[in-house]
Amino acid sequence: MDSFEALIGKNINEVALNESTTFFIAPLEYFYKNCGRRYPASKFKLADMDYFNLISFSDLFKYESILIIWYDETGLITDLEHYYLSNDFDVLFKDYYYIKKAIDNGEAHRLREGDTKYLGASRLSEKVAQPNSDSLANRREFVLKKKYLQKILNEMGFRCM
């Protein structure tokens, strides 16, 4: 982990982050709310969604953990967090199953990110065909929702300095 710890204090745009073979690497920007709490600026994309060949849960979560490289509005890397997704696999699997069931029932066009807790089916603008339906559905990608990333931040206990 020493090589990752050397990232603290550097600008996110000046570092090369290579894919890991043991965990997800997620460079994520955060902002401060008025109350002094941090909150994530965006979701974390896991994979594109193919309605006709949906990735399995085990392939989607091929790694049990995620290294989050938190950086502020200026691009300065301030913190690292190695978080075990496997602690939340029960909720993530329920979310995955809900999304899969909607696709299998030809209702991908009705999916909303609010339907799930941690794993989202983030909507993209392009419309595509879906199985078992004549309706077109927005193309989507699997994401870790802001709400889930906020949960991780809250567990880290960050406050305004």
Side-chain angles (χ1 to χ4, degrees):
M1 200 64 110
D2 289 336
S3 61
F4 284 112
E5 289 172 354
L7 295 174
I8 294 178
K10 294 187 178 179
N11 188 291
I12 192 69
N13 298 317
E14 297 172 358
V15 295
L17 299 172
N18 299 324
E19 190 172 323
S20 170
T21 57
T22 54
F23 49 82
F24 293 105
I25 297 179
L28 294 172
E29 183 178 8
Y30 66 87
F31 296 106
Y32 283 105
K33 290 185 178 182
N34 291 340
C35 64
R37 292 190 68 102
R38 291 183 184 185
Y39 68 99
S42 63
K43 312 165 207 171
F44 177 65
K45 177 184 171 182
L46 291 171
D48 289 322
M49 197 178 292
D50 178 351
Y51 295 135
F52 290 94
N53 188 21
L54 195 64
I55 188 171
S56 69
F57 182 81
S58 59
D59 286 340
L60 181 61
F61 289 99
K62 60 186 172 189
Y63 307 128
E64 291 186 16
S65 65
I66 183 171
L67 175 67
I68 302 175
I69 301 170
W70 293 108
Y71 63 96
D72 65 16
E73 299 127 0
T74 67
L76 185 70
I77 298 171
T78 60
D79 300 286
L80 303 173
E81 172 70 8
H82 190 225
Y83 186 82
Y84 286 90
L85 299 169
S86 54
N87 294 337
D88 301 312
F89 273 176
D90 55 339
V91 176
L92 291 165
F93 183 76
K94 285 178 188 175
D95 291 347
Y96 174 86
Y97 183 75
Y98 182 88
I99 294 166
K100 181 181 180 340
K101 184 177 169 186
I103 293 168
D104 290 345
N105 291 337
E107 296 178 353
H109 60 287
R110 294 188 181 168
L111 279 172
R112 296 176 309 131
E113 275 193 67
D115 294 337
T116 55
K117 192 168 181 181
Y118 295 158
L119 179 66
S122 184
R123 186 185 337 208
L124 303 172
S125 59
E126 179 186 358
K127 297 248 184 184
V128 296
Q130 64 173 315
N132 305 317
S133 177
D134 293 331
S135 299
L136 293 178
N138 288 81
R139 206 168 63 77
R140 296 178 185 269
E141 55 192 16
F142 282 109
V143 296
L144 294 179
K145 295 169 61 169
K146 281 182 168 183
K147 176 181 178 178
Y148 185 52
L149 299 173
Q150 184 67 55
K151 172 190 176 286
I152 294 170
L153 263 176
N154 291 346
E155 287 179 10
M156 293 170 65
F158 285 126
R159 296 281 188 268
C160 191
M161 298 176 193

